[in-house]
Each structure stands twice: as C-alpha cells, then as structure tokens.
Amino acid sequence: MRKRHGLPLPGAVLYPASSRPRPARAAPGDDRWVRGMCWLYCRRTDLPVIWIGPAAFNGMHAPMHACETCVAELEFMIWAYLTK
C-alpha cells in the first residue's frame, strides 16, 4: 500500500492542477507526430501519433506510438494514480 503523504514514487514530480504541463497535442509542423497506428487504446490507423516509448515483450522490442486522445487518457490515468 502506498503512503498518502509525500511523493508516491521515487523521482515523481507532482504539479498543482493549475500548473500541470499541457498534454501533448498534434500541431502543424511538429515533426514528432507522424501518421500511423495508435498502439495504446483505440488502435485506430492513419492518424497523427507520437512515440511514447519502447514496448517490450519476451525479449522483443517495438516502437510504441499513441494518438492525441489516447495520450490524454494515459496522462489522466497516471495523474490519478500519483494523486490517490
């Protein structure tokens, strides 16, 4: 069980709701976003996605990409976990 005081994870940074970093958004000319498949929740294809890190399973590795909507959901879930 996690402690309710202090930071829940070593190295975690909690921001007040008013100063949290803005979620990642696809913007014209931002070359971090490419067209592809969202590997996160929706699995839609041919939409702007951003690399969110490597995925690994049984010694295999692949680049993991997510769309704007799924990145926002992931950020929400991480924030909810860290502020429980």
Side-chain angles (χ1 to χ4, degrees):
M1 182 173 285
R2 294 179 315 143
K3 296 179 183 176
R4 295 211 36 101
H5 57 80
L7 295 176
L9 300 172
V13 177
L14 295 181
Y15 297 92
S18 62
S19 65
R20 283 177 51 198
R22 293 180 53 90
R25 297 285 180 255
D30 186 345
D31 63 356
R32 297 174 302 163
W33 293 84
V34 297
R35 293 200 76 75
M37 178 181 164
C38 178
W39 283 44
L40 206 47
Y41 307 115
C42 71
R43 298 177 58 187
R44 293 179 294 160
T45 60
D46 195 33
L47 72 159
V49 292
I50 193 168
W51 181 77
I52 60 171
F57 177 75
N58 281 345
M60 300 176 286
H61 297 82
M64 191 164 182
H65 292 80
C67 69
E68 185 175 316
T69 302
C70 291
V71 167
E73 179 63 20
L74 179 62
E75 290 171 346
F76 173 81
M77 292 186 329
I78 291 169
W79 182 255
Y81 173 80
L82 292 173
T83 58
K84 275 187 179 179

